[in-house]
Amino acid sequence: MHFGVLFWPLVALSVAAAALFGLVFEKRKPSFLRAGVKTVFMGALALAFAGGAPLPFVIALAAAALGDFFLAFDKPWVLPLGMLAFLAMQLLYMVCFFAMWMFSGDNAPLYPRYVMMIAIVAIVAAYLIWFWREPRPGRNPLLAIGAVVGAFAIGAAPLVIAGAGYLATIDPDVLEPKINWLLVGAVWVLSAGFIWLRRDLGLVKLAGMIYAAVIVQMGLLSFWLPWTAWPAMLGALLFLISDGVLSAELFRLSPEAPARKITGPVVWWTYASAQLLIAWGLARSAGMA
């Protein structure tokens, strides 16, 4: 990566906007000024990387800026637009992570990667059990089945790829088919369990679960980046925390819940840190930081 003289001033503007929003505007009522400050955070970062970083990464940063703008107004009708923008961002991050993994060469040591991936899946599964639990039986069983099976099928994809690729180096004719069938079986068993546990899943929650499946996969793929990109791995974890707290705030907490006093700041600071760490990690791995 090679950047011009405006790179560091734009990065500084991005960090300043993130701090200004978190310290001053996060608790204020929605306004165009508030939305503008929030948008400058990722907008300036996108401009900083434009022209020097791969196009998918620049578009991902720009999509995040657009998502920040929509969600800054805290209106129900803009929530799908914000989710769509961030869904595009996560998919583009996955493209970048996958490309860096494929061209990184030796990824040893491997076992810490497997441990972290398994830990993420276990923690997310525990969170979803809590998230879906409702006091009354659910409606729309087909939506529930589609959400659960789809979430686990997409979320298991990196494990299938990594496991099959690793075992293929040992015995591709014997072990690879077995591990694939075991993973497929595990996906369906877990899906059946979660279908039984969840209670009420509407269209908005379904969209949220599709987004959750993608962000989990992004988090898993981050652990196949070169080790020099360790800030991006940390950033992916913070992203999972941020979106987990946000989903709880949107769908689980009552308007009078005391936890809402801290959920907003937690969501913003973990999100802002995640974006900066991912950008730093990819730039560091590319040799420019």
Side-chain angles (χ1 to χ4, degrees), residues 30-108:
S31 67
F32 279 101
L33 178 60
R34 180 178 183 270
V37 172
K38 190 176 185 182
T39 305
V40 166
F41 165 48
M42 291 304 296
L45 202 62
L47 290 174
F49 280 89
L55 184 60
F57 183 63
V58 176
I59 297 176
L61 299 178
L66 190 62
D68 282 339
F69 177 78
F70 286 134
L71 297 183
F73 293 100
D74 295 333
K75 298 293 184 181
W77 66 272
V78 297
L79 179 60
L81 297 176
M83 291 179 64
L84 184 62
F86 279 108
L87 177 62
M89 180 207 69
Q90 299 293 357
L91 290 171
L92 289 166
Y93 275 170
M94 287 166 54
V95 170
C96 297
F97 291 173
F98 186 81
M100 293 191 72
W101 169 34
M102 292 298 293
F103 292 104
S104 62
D106 184 14
N107 288 316

Side-chain angles (χ1 to χ4, degrees), residues 215-238:
I215 192 175
V216 169
Q217 186 173 0
M218 183 277 293
L220 295 178
L221 280 175
S222 73
F223 286 97
W224 287 96
L225 289 168
W227 286 112
T228 53
W230 63 265
M233 301 178 188
L234 179 58
L237 289 177
L238 289 177

Side-chain angles (χ1 to χ4, degrees), residues 40-281:
V40 166
F41 165 48
M42 291 304 296
L45 202 62
L47 290 174
F49 280 89
L55 184 60
F57 183 63
V58 176
I59 297 176
L61 299 178
L66 190 62
D68 282 339
F69 177 78
F70 286 134
L71 297 183
F73 293 100
D74 295 333
K75 298 293 184 181
W77 66 272
V78 297
L79 179 60
L81 297 176
M83 291 179 64
L84 184 62
F86 279 108
L87 177 62
M89 180 207 69
Q90 299 293 357
L91 290 171
L92 289 166
Y93 275 170
M94 287 166 54
V95 170
C96 297
F97 291 173
F98 186 81
M100 293 191 72
W101 169 34
M102 292 298 293
F103 292 104
S104 62
D106 184 14
N107 288 316
L110 298 179
Y111 288 107
R113 302 178 187 272
Y114 292 124
V115 170
M116 289 304 301
M117 292 169 75
I118 292 171
I120 288 174
V121 171
I123 292 171
V124 170
Y127 175 80
L128 293 179
I129 291 175
W130 170 81
F131 185 83
W132 280 329
R133 192 173 289 276
E134 293 284 351
R136 55 193 174 90
R139 300 184 297 272
N140 300 321
L142 292 179
L143 290 179
I145 293 171
V148 176
V149 175
F152 277 95
I154 295 173
L159 291 176
V160 174
I161 294 171
Y166 176 69
L167 292 176
T169 63
I170 303 174
D171 192 342
D173 296 326
V174 178
L175 294 178
E176 184 177 351
K178 288 184 178 180
I179 193 67
N180 284 334
W181 280 112
L182 286 172
L183 286 171
V184 170
V187 166
W188 283 99
V189 169
L190 288 171
S191 298
F194 278 110
I195 289 169
W196 179 80
L197 285 169
R198 62 134 303 274
R199 293 295 184 267
D200 185 15
L201 189 65
L203 287 173
V204 175
K205 287 186 179 180
L206 173 63
M209 288 313 305
I210 294 173
Y211 175 80
V214 174
I215 192 175
V216 169
Q217 186 173 0
M218 183 277 293
L220 295 178
L221 280 175
S222 73
F223 286 97
W224 287 96
L225 289 168
W227 286 112
T228 53
W230 63 265
M233 301 178 188
L234 179 58
L237 289 177
L238 289 177
F239 229 128
L240 288 170
I241 294 171
S242 178
D243 279 7
V245 175
L246 178 60
S247 63
E249 183 182 59
L250 290 174
F251 300 118
R252 296 293 302 179
L253 297 181
S254 65
E256 301 81 17
R260 286 184 175 272
K261 294 181 180 179
I262 64 170
T263 52
V266 169
V267 168
W268 175 252
W269 290 112
T270 52
Y271 163 74
S273 301
Q275 293 285 27
L276 292 171
L277 284 167
I278 289 173
W280 176 30

